[in-house]
Amino acid sequence: MIAYHRFARQPLPPPSARSMLLTVIGEFLFDSDEGAWTAALMKVLGGMGIEEHAVRQLLSRAASAKWIERERVGRGVRWHLAEHGRALAADGIKRSSAYLEGPSPWDNEWLVLTVTVSQRKSTVRNRLNGGLSWLGMGNVNPGVWVTPHVDRQRELADLVSTLGLSDSALVLTGSLGLGGLATDEIVARAWDFSDLETSYRTLLTQDGGADPSDDDEVLLAYIELVSLQQRFMRLDPQLPKELLPEWVGREGAALFRRRREQWSATAHSRWTSLVAESAPRSTT
């Protein structure tokens, strides 16, 4: 499978090999009882520019992290999603659906977190920041995070608890009262959209390029598309129109939705064929 990349100019920095593997296994193994042979994963990830030795290291580390589990079948190894990997994939699928559908009308309610993290706990702080970004929360003031996605309160509580910050955190939901920041001031302080807007426009201006020429290219283009969508999802808080009326990110989400609908069936069909083709002879 020849390496393929649809975009001449990447809208965002390239994904890590680890992230690319998670994209592939989350997309193609979530609803699969068949799993995937090592050879199939090597072909696909090789088509995304990851070398064979790096793929073997990725699979080993992913197994250690409980993303996937190996099944020895004759001379071959077949991989399946492990429980932790399935939970990660399910969360990604849920968030992807929300991103592609667009935010619901806003009811003027906010989810607010105030939290203190010791300067000595840099790893905890980094994990917290990454988790809050994934939840679409913005940092409006030091130690104060907000989001209009009040339905993510349970996920926020799980994050705070997992990081051992419950004793220093306060989680609130409600509407704004008098005497504080106005809604537009909150948005301006909590999120900086300048770089993300540029990235979305880079994506949109390249959408008219040549389509994939065969099923292999459709599969690789689809994987690249899903990976790119996931990275945009992490950066875009997906604010409702009431808070951000004119936002190019909604055009970006529509592009992802359109291309996924166009390529999904062919990509999944080619993946199924590739897995079958990669099976060791002794198992067929």
Side-chain angles (χ1 to χ4, degrees):
M1 185 173 285
I2 299 173
Y4 173 83
H5 294 287
R6 177 172 170 79
F7 300 109
R9 289 184 299 132
Q10 289 297 316
L12 293 173
S16 66
R18 176 178 177 272
S19 172
M20 188 60 69
L21 174 63
L22 187 57
T23 295
V24 171
I25 63 177
E27 180 69 24
F28 296 107
L29 300 189
F30 186 76
D31 291 324
S32 170
D33 294 327
E34 295 296 323
W37 300 103
T38 299
L41 290 167
M42 283 187 171
K43 287 180 181 178
V44 168
L45 293 170
M48 303 309 298
I50 304 174
E51 296 183 358
E52 181 176 320
H53 73 278
V55 175
R56 292 190 183 278
Q57 291 180 344
L58 281 173
L59 293 174
S60 177
R61 291 170 182 170
S64 297
K66 308 300 182 184
W67 289 4
I68 53 178
E69 52 193 13
R70 59 171 59 85
E71 175 193 9
R72 174 70 66 175
V73 184
R75 292 178 298 171
V77 173
R78 186 160 52 190
W79 299 90
H80 303 271
L81 274 183
E83 184 176 351
H84 179 53
R86 185 166 297 278
L88 290 175
D91 183 45
I93 291 169
K94 175 184 174 183
R95 192 58 53 81
S96 175
S97 296
Y99 175 79
L100 295 175
E101 292 171 4
S104 302
W106 189 45
D107 61 2
N108 295 309
E109 295 281 302
W110 292 93
L111 173 61
V112 181
L113 168 70
T114 67
V115 64
T116 301
V117 182
S118 169
Q119 292 292 331
R120 294 172 294 180
K121 296 183 177 180
S122 58
T123 300
V124 172
R125 188 183 310 106
N126 290 337
R127 289 179 61 192
L128 176 66
N129 291 346
L132 294 176
S133 178
W134 177 240
L135 293 176
M137 302 195 75
N139 191 197
V140 66
N141 276 323
V144 181
W145 297 78
V146 298
T147 179
H149 301 293
V150 179
D151 59 315
R152 297 175 185 173
Q153 182 176 358
R154 171 51 57 188
E155 295 169 82
L156 176 60
D158 289 343
L159 174 65
V160 169
S161 176
T162 298
L163 295 178
L165 296 173
S166 298
D167 290 344
S168 63
L170 182 65
V171 178
L172 305 168
T173 60
S175 56
L176 293 180
L178 297 175
L181 295 173
T183 298
D184 57 343
E185 293 173 322
I186 291 175
V187 172
R189 284 194 185 196
W191 294 281
D192 181 356
F193 293 104
S194 55
D195 288 344
L196 184 57
E197 179 177 2
T198 299
S199 295
Y200 268 125
R201 296 201 182 281
T202 300
L203 169 72
L204 292 167
T205 56
Q206 296 183 85
D207 185 47
D211 284 336
S213 61
D214 57 28
D215 288 358
D216 277 357
E217 287 195 357
V218 171
L219 174 58
L220 295 177
Y222 183 76
I223 293 170
E224 183 179 40
L225 182 83
V226 173
S227 172
L228 189 58
Q229 179 198 318
Q230 290 168 342
R231 283 176 283 145
F232 270 107
M233 282 162 45
R234 284 194 170 275
L235 297 171
D236 190 342
Q238 300 154 51
L239 300 185
K241 291 182 179 179
E242 292 86 347
L243 291 176
L244 201 63
E246 302 295 332
W247 175 229
V248 68
R250 298 188 191 99
E251 296 178 52
L255 184 156
F256 285 119
R257 182 172 61 249
R258 185 169 62 252
R259 291 302 186 189
R260 291 187 68 142
E261 291 172 352
Q262 179 183 358
W263 293 335
S264 179
T266 299
H268 278 263
S269 176
R270 179 61 187 121
W271 167 262
T272 300
S273 299
L274 184 60
V275 171
E277 293 165 9
S278 302
R281 291 185 181 182
S282 61
T283 67
T284 59

